[in-house]
Amino acid sequence: MTTQLPAPTAGRAVGRWLAGGALVAVTAGLAYLLSAVSGSLPHLLPGYDGWQERAYSRLPSFLRWCLGDTTEAQSFKTDLGGLGLLAGGWLAHVAATRRRRWAGFPIAARTGLWPWLTGSALLGLLLSNLAWGWTIPATGAWQPTFVAFVSIPPSVVLLYGPGWRVALTGAVLGAALTTPIAIGLVQFVCYPLGLPTSIGTAGSMWLSALLAFPLCRILPWFPRRPAPAPGPVDPPRQGPAWVLRRVLADFTEAPFHGNEISSAGLLAGTLLTYLLNPLTPVHGTALLPALLTTQVLTSTLAVLLYHRQWARHGWYPTFVPLVSVAPAVVLTYGPTAPSIAAGAILGAILAPPLAAYTSRRLPATIHPFVGNVVSMTVCTGVVVPALGLVPGFVH
């Protein structure tokens, strides 16, 4: 059945582009101010390097480290941002269950499973750090212990429904499959070849998912078939406010929230962390302003380019370049205007349609998030090395 699309109007199209342009301009202005004052900001929080050194020696530091992992998919690491993400997610879930008008975009894909998928994701994250955290002090380098939070555990819950057996199994599979595959790819492929680590982390998610979902079909305690997907929704009125809300919500699509309240909590905690110590949220660098600029730009462009796909399908993976191509280019080539623009534009054009194309060709027994991470792997693996051939892009 084809969704009836609202009739397009020139005024609404102009309003969308004006709203998107204003959002990017405000973000760029805020980023400039943050960069300008970063040298004078106090260091009231430990820097990233000191945090990492103590992460596995004391329980409070370990819990903060695990909480920081909840924001790693966005290329940040901040426990305050993680608290904001989870608090905002809970608030959005409560508002949705009570049918409040201000609940925002439906959290957890309109399933009502936010407590189960978040609980499974957090348990998978904790197990990953307990089982694989030793690789950080052993290698002296960052390792992707966060990957279970945004991969198998929540997607298994979304596919098979609520229940302790499903949630616990998803958490164990995430820690046992996704995390070691990610560590292996990052340690033995990305680091030696000088590739962005996001290629290894995204690659681990779809590789482990292709192992985990067939296994779920034969586990005796699992449902025999996936839970039914939510029905179609009426196409939204895509005015200027919708563009602003959609870009904001894209910041929490990776952990299966996709809600502007959760995203507001994530960004508020992340910005607060930067103000307390600019060297904390982005692995000891001061790149947060540039990252936020390219992420807002790429999501805005993707939403504006593919808004008709949102109306037609009810959801579209405009968030994919926000957590892959755009930040990878800035982290590789530095916080320059060409890096910010190139990563954002190329990511917005290439990544969402490839993700949608791949997801729609997966069997019903594999969650469509696999298509999103395949797109992240392919597009980042193509765009970042290709830009290295362009004058002005120096690794």
Side-chain angles (χ1 to χ4, degrees):
M1 181 176 66
T2 302
T3 301
Q4 182 66 39
L5 301 181
T9 64
R12 192 177 299 170
V14 171
R16 283 194 297 267
W17 281 93
L18 288 175
L23 176 60
V24 172
V26 169
T27 303
L30 174 62
Y32 175 80
L33 291 176
L34 288 174
S35 298
V37 303
S38 61
S40 60
L41 292 174
H43 290 192
L44 300 180
L45 284 178
Y48 177 83
D49 292 338
W51 186 16
Q52 178 176 294
E53 289 175 2
R54 295 190 295 271
Y56 295 94
S57 60
R58 298 177 182 177
L59 182 60
S61 296
F62 174 73
L63 294 177
R64 285 188 57 225
W65 186 262
C66 291
L67 190 57
D69 268 0
T70 63
T71 67
E72 282 273 18
Q74 290 82 8
S75 300
F76 321 139
K77 189 177 181 77
T78 155
D79 54 333
L80 296 178
L83 280 175
L85 181 150
L86 295 174
W90 173 82
L91 182 60
H93 170 71
V94 171
T97 57
R98 296 179 181 178
R99 302 183 182 278
R100 298 290 190 259
R101 294 182 61 184
W102 49 269
F105 285 98
I107 196 165
R110 296 187 300 114
T111 61
L113 294 175
W114 182 84
W116 286 103
L117 75 86
T118 303
S120 181
L122 287 172
L123 179 57
L125 184 63
L126 179 62
L127 293 175
S128 293
N129 275 280
L130 290 173
W132 304 104
W134 60 269
T135 60
I136 296 176
T139 61
W142 174 86
Q143 298 294 349
T145 51
F146 78 95
V147 289
F149 186 73
V150 290
S151 57
I152 291 176
S155 62
V156 164
V157 171
L158 285 175
L159 193 63
Y160 284 97
W164 287 109
R165 293 178 178 180
V166 172
L168 292 174
T169 303
V172 171
L173 289 174
L177 295 176
T178 315
T179 306
I181 293 175
I183 291 173
L185 289 175
V186 167
Q187 191 69 35
F188 300 111
V189 178
C190 295
Y191 285 157
L193 298 180
L195 295 173
T197 56
S198 58
I199 294 176
T201 57
S204 73
M205 294 179 201
W206 62 263
L207 284 170
S208 61
L210 293 180
L211 297 173
F213 284 115
L215 179 61
C216 290
R217 296 180 63 188
I218 61 174
L219 293 175
W221 59 86
F222 254 59
R224 291 300 88 200
R225 58 182 59 86
V233 295
D234 294 331
R237 182 180 178 85
Q238 295 179 337
W242 179 85
V243 173
L244 302 180
R245 291 174 51 225
R246 187 59 253 162
V247 172
L248 182 59
D250 269 0
F251 273 88
T252 51
E253 281 287 359
F256 300 87
H257 288 198
N259 176 268
E260 57 268 51
I261 301 174
S262 182
S263 294
L266 164 70
L267 293 175
T270 301
L271 289 171
L272 178 59
T273 301
Y274 184 87
L275 294 174
L276 295 175
N277 189 340
L279 299 180
T280 297
V282 189
H283 299 180
T285 72
L287 292 177
L288 181 65
L291 282 180
L292 289 178
T293 302
T294 194
Q295 288 173 316
V296 169
L297 177 58
T298 197
S299 178
T300 301
L301 289 173
V303 168
L304 292 172
L305 289 173
Y306 301 112
H307 72 94
R308 297 287 289 176
Q309 300 299 323
W310 267 99
R312 181 173 290 110
H313 300 290
W315 187 86
Y316 201 70
T318 49
F319 82 100
V320 170
L322 184 151
V323 293
S324 57
V325 179
V329 171
V330 170
L331 291 171
T332 301
Y333 297 109
T336 65
S339 295
I340 292 170
I345 294 170
L346 293 173
I349 293 172
L350 300 174
L354 178 58
Y357 176 87
T358 308
S359 296
R360 289 173 192 153
R361 281 152 181 80
L362 294 171
T365 53
I366 294 179
H367 192 275
F369 100 93
V370 170
N372 301 332
V373 289
V374 166
S375 177
M376 295 176 199
T377 307
V378 173
C379 291
T380 306
V382 170
V383 169
V384 173
L387 286 175
L389 304 176
V390 178
F393 288 85
V394 180
H395 198 298

